[in-house]
Amino acid sequence: MSASGVLSFTQQGWEQVLAKVKRAVVYLDSACAESLHWGCGSTRLLEAVGGPDCHLRDFEPDAVGGGAKQPKAVFVLSCLLKGRTVEILRDIICRSHFQYCVVVTAVSHAVHLTANHVPAAAAAEMEGQQPVFEQLEEKLCEWMGNMNYTAEVFHVPLLLAPVAPHFALTPAFASLFPLLPQDVHLLNSTRPDKRKLGSLGDVDATALTPELLLQIRCLVSGLSSLCEHLGVREECFAVGSLSRVIAADLANFAPAKNRKKTAAGRASVVFMDRTLDLTGAVGHHGDNLVEKIISALPQLPGHTNDVMVNMIELTALQTEEENCNVVAPGCLAQSNDTTAKALWEALLNTKHKEAVMEVRRHLVEAASRENLPIKMSMGRVTPGQLMSYIQLFKNNLKALMNHCGLLQLGLATAQTLKHPQTAKWDNFLAFERLLLQSIGESTMSVVLNQLLPMIKPITQRTNEDYSPEELLILLIYIYSVTGELTVDKDLGEAEEKVKKALAQVFCEESELSPLLQKITDWDSSINLTFHKSKIAVDKLFTSLRDIAGARSLMKQFKSVYVPGNHTHQASYKPLLKQVVEEIFHPERPDSIDIEHMSSGLTDLLKTGFSMFMKVSRPHPSDYPVLILFVVGGVTVSEVKMVKDLVASLKPGTQVIVLSTRLLKPFNIPELLFATDRLHPDLGF
C-alpha cells in the first residue's frame, strides 16, 4: 500500500468520472467539486471535457440547461439519488436537449436500498443487481423525451478531499457533529417513558433519527470503499458516543463482509468525537501558518476547507476593494503544481516562523530561475518583502504561468501576515495562557468575573477588544478546558452577570452577524429586545455547560488540563495526544475509553470467553496502518501532532488522519449552534 493511499483513492475515483465527460455539460455539487479541487484540480476536468462549447455548472435548481448543440450531460453528485435531488435532475434535463445522460453518485447502491427501506435480507439477495439505479436510468430517458436515448447511473466513492498524503477531509459530511446532552432530551421527546435515554452513553443506532442514521451509513459506505482500496480489513474502535455508532456501523457493514475475508492487510480505524475536546479547536496554541491563513482569509465560495486569495496585486488594476471581484481568486489547493504542492506540504508540517522562511525561499528560487531582478534580503520575513518578490512576476506572463501555484501561496502568506486577525491571534494566545493559570488557582466564577470587563458594546469597543463572536470562542475555550463543573451559588451569579452583559451587547450590535442571527433566531438587532436576547444567551450557556460535561462519561480521558507546579506552568494536553499515547503505550493496556466494536458472532464469542479465559482482544496498535477519524473537524496543528507522535512512538506505522472538515476557531460556534444536527439535510 502506497503512502499516498488517500490521494490515489480519490484520483482513481475521478478517473472513472473523467472517462465519461468528453464534450459534456458537467454538473457538480459542492462536495464533489471540493473533492475534485483537492484531488485533481478543475483543469484536469476541463482537459477531459475538451471542446469550446462545453461547460462546468453548479448542480442547483436554477442551473442552466443544455442547449441544442449540447447533447451530453454528466451529473457528479455526493448525495443519495432521491427526493429533491431527483427533482432537480428532472427539471434540468426537461429544459435541455440532452440525448445522453450520465449520473455519478458518491453513495453506493447498498445505501440506496437502505434509504428506500429495503430489508437487509432482501438487499443481500440483490447482490450484483442495481434496481434503484436501473429505475433512475429509465426515468432519465423519459425526461430526455426518448426511451432510445442513453442513460447511465453508477457509483464512484468520491468521499475524500485529500489535503496531504496522510490527511484527507470528507466535504459531504462537513456538518456532521457529535451529539451533546441537550440532544438526548430531543431524542427522548419522541421515545416512550420506558425507553428514555439516561445519557449520551445510552445512545446507539436505534436511538438516532432516521436522517442522522442514513447520513452515518453514507459515510460508512465511503470509508468501506477506502479500506477496499487500501487492501485492508479494518478493526474499528471508538472514543465518544457518536463515534461508537459510526464505528459499530462500519464494523458490521454487510456489503463489506466478502471484502474483509479476502483483504491481505490489516488496519485500525479509531473514531473520536470532537466535542470531547473543543479546547484545541477554538484555541490558538497551534504555531502553524496554515491555521492562521484559513482563519484570516475569506472562505472560497462553495467550499468548507479552502480560502480566497486576492490576486489583484499581480494585475494592472488598482487595489481598491471594488476591483477585488473582477479577478478570480487564488486558493491553497495546488493539486497540479508539483513545486507549489511541495511548499504546501512543508507549510502543513512546519512551525510558523520556518514556514514563512520557506515561502520566501521558494519565491527567491523561482525569481532566480526566471532571471528576474531580485534583491536578496536576510533576517525577519515581512509581508512587504514577500510582496516585493511577488510583484517581480507581475508583467512577465511566462513567469506568472510557470509559478502560478507558488504565487498564490505567497500572496496568501503575505495577506495573512498583515491581516488584523493575525495580530489578534497573539492576544488570544496570551489570554488563553492566562486562563490556564487562573483555572488552576481560582474557581470558575472567578475566571468568568475576569472575562466580564472584556464584554463591551460596539460603541465602546476598539480594534483591540473582542467582538461578540470572539467572546463566544473564549467562553467555549474556558468551559471545554475546565471540564466538569461544581455548580454552586457563586458560579450561578457569575454566569448570570456574563449572560446579562452578553445579551445587552447582542442588542446593541449595529447589525447581527450570521452566527448571532443563528443564536438569537433574529435577523436584525433593531427588533431584538433584551428579553429575547437573554433567552438566546440562556440557551447558549446550556450548550456551554454541555461542553464542560462532555468528558463526564470518560473514565480515563477525563481532563485536558494539566495543573502547574513549581517547575512547569499549567498547560493544555490535547485529547488526541492522550488517545494516540494510549494506543501506543508500551505495556498495551486494555483502554477503557477506546472501545473496540465487535463485528459479528466470532468477535462476540471472543469477548465472552475473555471474561474467563486468556483471549486477547484486538488492540489499535496491533496493525501496521492506523486510520484516525475525528468526527466534527480537526485543526492543522492536531494533524501534525498526530503524525509526529506516531512516528516517535511506533516508527514504521502508517497513520492516516481523516476528518469531516478543517477547523478554524469560528467554525465551532457555528457547528455547536446548528439546528439540524439530529436532522441533517440529505438532499431529499
Side-chain angles (χ1 to χ4, degrees):
M1 184 183 67
S2 70
S4 57
V6 292
L7 182 59
S8 61
F9 172 65
T10 305
Q11 290 179 339
Q12 193 177 90
W14 277 104
E15 287 304 323
Q16 293 177 61
V17 176
L18 298 178
K20 295 286 182 183
V21 301
K22 190 172 182 182
R23 295 190 173 276
V25 180
V26 181
Y27 295 85
L28 294 141
D29 67 14
S30 294
C32 283
E34 201 159 357
S35 171
L36 174 74
H37 178 73
W38 288 96
C40 308
S42 56
T43 51
R44 182 77 185 82
L45 178 58
L46 289 167
E47 286 164 8
V49 170
D53 298 324
C54 301
H55 301 280
L56 305 186
R57 293 173 188 170
D58 284 334
F59 180 75
E60 57 186 12
D62 300 327
V64 177
K69 293 183 179 179
Q70 295 170 317
K72 183 180 177 185
V74 177
F75 298 86
V76 191
L77 308 174
S78 62
C79 53
L80 284 156
L81 304 176
K82 193 172 164 63
R84 195 171 71 247
T85 300
V86 173
E87 288 168 13
I88 296 170
L89 264 174
R90 180 198 62 203
D91 292 348
I92 293 171
I93 292 168
C94 286
R95 59 174 174 261
S96 304
H97 295 79
F98 300 137
Q99 298 172 27
Y100 181 6
C101 274
V102 179
V103 177
V104 180
T105 172
V107 181
S108 69
H109 187 266
V111 180
H112 278 84
L113 291 176
T114 304
N116 285 288
H117 312 293
V118 175
E125 288 174 14
M126 291 182 195
E127 197 171 349
Q129 301 171 51
Q130 299 194 324
V132 178
F133 291 172
E134 288 161 13
Q135 285 167 21
L136 183 57
E137 285 173 353
E138 285 186 20
K139 284 286 183 189
L140 294 173
C141 290
E142 194 181 301
W143 298 331
M144 285 189 282
N146 189 328
M147 298 308 287
N148 292 319
Y149 285 166
T150 307
E152 292 178 60
V153 179
F154 61 96
H155 157 61
V156 176
L158 303 172
L159 172 73
L160 301 179
V163 176
H166 61 283
F167 173 38
L169 304 161
T170 58
F173 302 93
S175 64
L176 182 63
F177 200 68
L179 305 184
L180 295 168
Q182 60 192 277
D183 296 313
V184 173
H185 299 303
L186 293 171
L187 291 170
N188 276 337
S189 65
T190 58
R191 294 170 72 87
D193 287 343
K194 288 184 179 178
R195 296 184 61 230
K196 297 284 188 199
L197 304 165
S199 69
L200 279 176
D202 299 330
V203 171
D204 60 12
T206 62
L208 299 182
T209 61
E211 303 99 307
L212 182 53
L213 208 50
L214 199 49
Q215 186 183 34
I216 288 168
R217 180 57 59 88
C218 290
L219 173 61
V220 160
S221 170
L223 291 172
S224 178
S225 296
L226 172 63
C227 290
E228 182 175 11
H229 175 80
L230 297 175
V232 296
R233 176 188 163 190
E234 66 277 14
E235 290 293 344
C236 300
F237 302 85
V239 185
S241 55
L242 191 66
S243 285
R244 197 167 57 243
V245 177
I246 300 169
D249 204 40
L250 179 57
N252 295 283
F253 187 51
K257 202 172 177 182
N258 291 333
R259 163 181 72 75
K260 289 180 181 180
K261 285 177 185 173
T262 57
R266 300 292 294 275
S268 298
V269 184
V270 181
F271 294 88
M272 187 187 119
D273 283 4
R274 175 78 263 178
T275 42
L276 295 172
D277 177 12
L278 292 178
T279 312
V282 295
H284 297 72
H285 322 96
D287 186 18
N288 185 278
L289 175 62
V290 176
E291 274 190 14
K292 293 174 185 177
I293 290 173
I294 65 169
S295 293
L297 301 189
Q299 196 167 293
L300 194 62
H303 289 247
T304 51
N305 303 300
D306 207 343
V307 296
M308 288 198 288
V309 181
N310 188 344
M311 303 298 288
I312 206 161
E313 295 278 2
L314 289 172
T315 71
L317 288 168
Q318 297 297 308
T319 55
E320 278 84 15
E321 200 169 320
E322 60 266 24
N323 286 331
C324 290
N325 293 329
V326 176
V327 180
C331 60
L332 300 177
Q334 302 297 332
S335 46
N336 292 316
D337 184 326
T338 311
T339 308
K341 205 170 178 181
L343 174 59
W344 167 248
E345 287 175 21
L347 301 187
L348 290 172
N349 292 307
T350 51
K351 291 188 173 180
H352 173 94
K353 188 177 177 183
E354 295 158 16
V356 172
M357 290 173 73
E358 193 68 8
V359 171
R360 178 172 69 181
R361 184 178 71 79
H362 272 75
L363 287 170
V364 168
E365 286 178 4
S368 301
R369 277 199 297 275
E370 297 293 341
N371 295 318
L372 298 173
I374 192 159
K375 290 180 181 175
M376 287 295 294
S377 55
M378 301 304 287
R380 186 167 164 267
V381 182
T382 65
Q385 185 189 93
L386 293 179
M387 288 309 302
S388 69
Y389 295 155
I390 289 165
Q391 284 174 338
L392 295 171
F393 294 80
K394 189 170 180 175
N395 298 314
N396 187 326
L397 185 60
K398 180 173 169 286
L400 261 175
M401 291 182 72
N402 287 345
H403 305 284
C404 188
L406 169 62
L407 293 170
Q408 288 174 63
L409 294 176
L411 280 165
T413 303
Q415 287 163 22
T416 300
L417 292 178
K418 62 183 180 185
H419 197 282
Q421 193 64 40
T422 305
K424 222 167 191 183
W425 187 281
D426 294 333
N427 295 351
F428 268 108
L429 182 58
F431 188 66
E432 286 160 9
R433 283 177 176 160
L434 187 66
L435 278 172
L436 287 172
Q437 307 317 311
S438 299
I439 288 164
E441 296 160 9
S442 317
T443 61
M444 183 64 154
S445 56
V446 172
V447 173
L448 288 176
N449 284 326
Q450 287 176 341
L451 186 71
L452 201 55
M454 301 163 75
I455 305 172
K456 296 179 182 178
I458 193 165
T459 50
Q460 295 174 26
R461 285 202 304 265
T462 67
N463 290 337
E464 297 295 309
D465 292 314
Y466 293 107
S467 68
E469 295 83 357
E470 289 167 338
L471 289 165
L472 288 182
I473 285 168
L474 287 174
L475 282 166
I476 292 167
Y477 185 96
I478 292 167
Y479 277 78
S480 179
V481 78
T482 303
E484 278 189 89
L485 297 170
T486 304
V487 179
D488 56 19
K489 186 185 169 194
D490 288 346
L491 177 61
E493 287 175 357
E495 280 189 337
E496 198 56 34
K497 287 177 193 170
V498 172
K499 284 180 190 178
K500 285 178 179 174
L502 269 180
Q504 193 59 46
V505 164
F506 288 1
C507 291
E508 293 180 23
E509 287 296 287
S510 53
E511 60 179 285
L512 295 176
S513 67
L515 176 61
L516 294 185
Q517 287 178 29
K518 188 181 282 187
I519 290 169
T520 59
D521 200 19
W522 214 256
D523 292 340
S524 165
S525 58
I526 298 167
N527 301 317
L528 180 63
T529 63
F530 177 80
H531 177 67
K532 288 169 185 169
S533 182
K534 179 67 166 54
I535 290 169
V537 173
D538 285 341
K539 284 183 185 173
L540 189 155
F541 268 76
T542 301
S543 295
L544 290 173
R545 290 271 186 102
D546 280 356
I547 290 163
R551 293 183 296 275
S552 62
L553 295 172
M554 296 282 110
K555 295 178 177 64
Q556 188 177 0
F557 305 132
K558 272 207 169 288
S559 178
V560 293
Y561 177 72
V562 181
N565 55 35
H566 61 281
T567 54
H568 297 287
Q569 285 193 321
S571 61
Y572 154 67
K573 185 173 184 181
L575 196 72
L576 256 174
K577 185 175 187 180
Q578 296 180 47
V579 169
V580 173
E581 285 178 348
E582 181 63 20
I583 288 171
F584 295 108
H585 194 289
E587 291 174 15
R588 290 168 45 89
D590 264 348
S591 176
I592 309 161
D593 290 335
I594 305 174
E595 296 180 63
H596 175 247
M597 310 314 292
S598 61
S599 54
L601 186 61
T602 311
D603 275 357
L604 284 170
L605 286 171
K606 273 187 191 175
T607 306
F609 284 134
S610 70
M611 294 170 74
F612 53 89
M613 289 174 65
K614 191 163 178 152
V615 177
S616 62
R617 282 182 290 184
H619 190 277
S621 66
D622 285 342
Y623 313 112
V625 180
L626 171 66
I627 300 171
L628 193 55
F629 193 113
V630 186
V631 182
V634 72
T635 68
V636 173
S637 297
E638 288 171 334
V639 175
K640 180 184 182 302
M641 175 192 70
V642 168
K643 184 171 173 263
D644 293 348
L645 203 51
V646 173
S648 68
L649 294 173
K650 196 174 180 185
T653 300
Q654 185 189 339
V655 64
I656 296 171
V657 180
L658 304 178
S659 190
T660 45
R661 66 187 296 159
L662 196 57
L663 286 177
K664 55 186 174 184
F666 286 107
N667 290 145
I668 290 299
E670 291 163 8
L671 289 162
L672 270 176
F673 305 118
T675 53
D676 57 354
R677 192 159 49 236
L678 291 172
H679 301 277
D681 182 2
L682 300 178
F684 61 86

